[in-house]
Amino acid sequence: MKFPKKIRAYCPRCKTHTEHSVSIYKHGQRRTLAEGQRRYLRKQEGYGSKRKPEQKRLAKVNKRITLRITCSQCSYKRHILNLRLKKVELVEVSR
C-alpha cells in the first residue's frame, strides 16, 4: 500500500489540522533487565524442553504496520493506522 510522506491531520496539542510527516514505526530493543524478560529467560533455562513449543508454520502472512505521524508545528508524535499489510511504501505526493 502506498501512503503519502506528508498528510494534513488533527493535532491534539495544537488543537487544529496541521501538516504531519509520516514514518513507519519500529519498536525499540527489549530491555533485558525488565522483570518479565528476566522471568522468561529464567524459565527457558534448564535441561528440559522450552516453555513454549516452537511454531512450525505461521498462521498469518502479513504483519501489523503502525504509522507514526509527527506534527510540523509542535513536533507532537502519535501512532495511527494499525493495519495488516504485506508492504507499505511512503511516497512523495506531487500536486
Side-chain angles (χ1 to χ4, degrees):
M1 180 178 175
K2 291 184 178 176
F3 205 84
K5 283 186 181 177
K6 292 198 182 286
I7 58 169
R8 273 184 63 77
Y10 181 76
C11 177
R13 189 183 281 174
C14 299
K15 295 191 170 122
T16 179
H17 279 75
T18 56
E19 192 85 5
H20 284 68
S21 60
V22 180
S23 59
I24 296 168
Y25 169 74
K26 274 187 76 174
H27 60 82
Q29 195 171 11
R30 286 192 164 190
R31 298 182 338 214
T32 52
L33 291 176
E35 177 57 40
Q37 185 67 16
R38 294 198 313 256
R39 189 181 297 127
Y40 173 78
L41 291 172
R42 196 165 55 245
K43 273 190 134 174
Q44 290 286 77
E45 285 176 3
Y47 298 104
S49 62
K50 297 205 179 277
R51 69 184 271 236
K52 287 185 177 174
E54 288 183 13
Q55 232 176 351
K56 296 288 191 288
R57 73 186 97 83
L58 292 168
K60 309 247 182 326
V61 291
N62 40 28
K63 299 250 186 281
R64 277 191 184 273
I65 290 171
T66 305
L67 294 181
R68 182 187 212 188
I69 61 172
T70 309
C71 179
S72 58
Q73 262 79 47
C74 65
S75 68
Y76 180 75
K77 297 174 183 71
R78 61 196 182 101
H79 296 155
I80 60 162
L81 201 73
N82 198 357
L83 291 178
R84 284 197 177 274
L85 301 169
K86 276 193 177 181
K87 185 177 157 189
V88 171
E89 191 180 337
L90 295 176
V91 292
E92 203 71 45
V93 178
S94 59
R95 292 183 187 193

